[in-house]
């Protein structure tokens, strides 16, 4: 079957760095997406990786290793507004998005 | 760019009534639109995928006669919850994707449905 694993919840301190991991097993691979979802709101797109390596976008970076079926989202200089759920999703061979359950990130002052 | 709107943002209705939710891509042509449902503190659940001009493809366990989807144009898809019941109360979110299959999905702001 298809499976996306990410931690259920993480806690970090304002100003620090946090890494949210995602491992996947899917039938085919056409890219991995990270979305941010604040409580009560719809997800917003953060990043897309289809080749191995690190993609940096401001305070957020996303890394992919296709051979290991692994990705992480790195958040630097954490701000209170970064408190949200972070969803990892993989596009399979049928171009269907397979969603992880999300990681709830709690930022403490 | 890549803005998706949904209307209404909130709906409260009586049990047995039908509710229509609109999803529009404002600045791009959405060949494919997706409808999701999310219950509190749970992950997104894909309900159906619709391509412009063709019938929607429903996920297993989703009743197509209860959740009617119409994707009549490249910028508009509608979801109608027919004969809504309290258990249909949820957060309904649409997303839209452009012409290429590998493109990013952009989400609308969601519609909260409360059935009394």
């Amino acid at each position: 079957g298809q499976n996306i694993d990410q931690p259920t919840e993480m806690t970090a301190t304002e100003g620090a760095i946090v890494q949210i991991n995602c491992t996947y097993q899917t039938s085919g691979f056409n890219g991995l997406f990270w979305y941010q979802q604040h409580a009560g709101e719809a997800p917003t797109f953060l990043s897309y990786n289809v080749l191995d390596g690190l993609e940096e976008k401001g305070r957020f970076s996303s890394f992919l290793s296709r051979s290991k079926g692994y990705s992480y989202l790195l958040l630097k200089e954490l701000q209170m507004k970064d408190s949200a759920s972070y969803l990892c999703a993989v596009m399979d061979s049928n171009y269907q998005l397979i969603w992880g359950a999300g990681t709830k990130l709690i930022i403490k002052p | 760019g890549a803005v998706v709107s949904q209307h209404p943002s909130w709906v409260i209705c009586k049990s047995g009534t039908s509710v229509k939710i609109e999803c529009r891509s404002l600045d791009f042509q959405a060949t494919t639109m997706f409808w999701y449902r999310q219950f509190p503190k749970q992950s997104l659940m894909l309900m159906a995928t619709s391509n412009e001009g063709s019938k929607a493809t429903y996920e297993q366990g989703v009743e197509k006669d209860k959740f009617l989807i119409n994707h009549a144009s490249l910028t508009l898809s509608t979801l109608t919850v027919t004969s809504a019941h309290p258990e249909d109360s949820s957060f309904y979110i649409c997303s839209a994707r452009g012409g290429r299959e590998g493109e990013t999905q952009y989400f609308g702001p969601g519609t909260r449905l409360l059935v009394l």
Side-chain angles (χ1 to χ4, degrees):
Chain A
Q2 311 210 86
N3 197 46
I4 309 285
D5 283 317
Q6 50 181 133
T8 304
E9 187 173 297
M10 298 182 72
T11 302
T13 305
E14 191 176 15
I17 299 173
V18 71
Q19 176 175 311
I20 303 174
N21 296 326
C22 171
T23 57
Y24 62 89
Q25 291 177 310
T26 56
S27 55
F29 180 84
N30 279 299
L32 185 144
F33 297 80
W34 283 96
Y35 285 83
Q36 180 190 60
Q37 185 176 24
H38 283 101
E41 299 180 12
T44 55
F45 169 73
L46 287 179
S47 67
Y48 170 65
N49 293 66
V50 67
L51 299 176
D52 289 350
L54 187 68
E55 296 275 346
E56 297 186 71
K57 196 186 288 187
R59 294 189 298 114
F60 292 6
S61 303
S62 56
F63 171 83
L64 174 68
S65 169
R66 287 172 296 171
S67 61
K68 295 181 179 176
Y70 167 70
S71 171
Y72 68 72
L73 180 70
L74 190 72
L75 292 76
K76 302 176 185 176
E77 300 170 19
L78 286 170
Q79 302 174 10
M80 297 303 292
K81 67 178 182 180
D82 297 329
S83 292
S85 287
Y86 291 86
L87 310 177
C88 172
V90 173
M91 189 167 281
D92 68 10
S93 57
N94 293 319
Y95 296 96
Q96 291 273 69
L97 269 185
I98 311 300
W99 291 89
T103 298
K104 182 178 180 182
L105 177 63
I106 299 168
I107 310 295
K108 294 186 174 178
Chain B
V3 178
V4 178
S5 71
Q6 258 182 266
H7 177 79
S9 54
W10 266 99
V11 182
I12 302 174
C13 68
K14 292 182 180 179
S15 185
T17 59
S18 293
V19 175
K20 181 186 279 189
I21 303 170
E22 290 187 351
C23 177
R24 292 180 186 273
S25 58
L26 299 184
D27 53 0
F28 68 103
Q29 293 187 325
T31 305
T32 306
M33 286 186 169
F34 305 85
W35 287 96
Y36 292 85
R37 181 165 55 180
Q38 188 174 36
F39 292 104
K41 298 185 179 180
Q42 293 188 24
S43 57
L44 290 172
M45 188 195 83
L46 179 65
M47 298 174 68
T49 302
S50 74
N51 291 293
E52 185 265 339
S54 61
K55 288 185 179 180
T57 302
Y58 290 80
E59 295 300 303
Q60 197 170 9
V62 179
E63 300 173 58
K64 61 180 181 180
D65 293 329
K66 180 169 182 62
F67 298 99
L68 302 178
I69 292 172
N70 186 340
H71 191 163
S73 77
L74 283 172
T75 59
L76 173 64
S77 176
T78 60
L79 167 69
T80 301
V81 183
T82 62
S83 187
H85 289 285
E87 58 265 29
D88 298 323
S89 298
S90 187
F91 189 37
Y92 291 86
I93 316 171
C94 75
S95 70
R97 187 186 73 195
R100 297 194 336 254
E101 287 183 309
E103 284 190 22
T104 299
Q105 288 184 30
Y106 293 94
F107 285 85
T111 297
R112 293 211 174 279
L113 172 62
L114 177 61
V115 185
L116 302 175

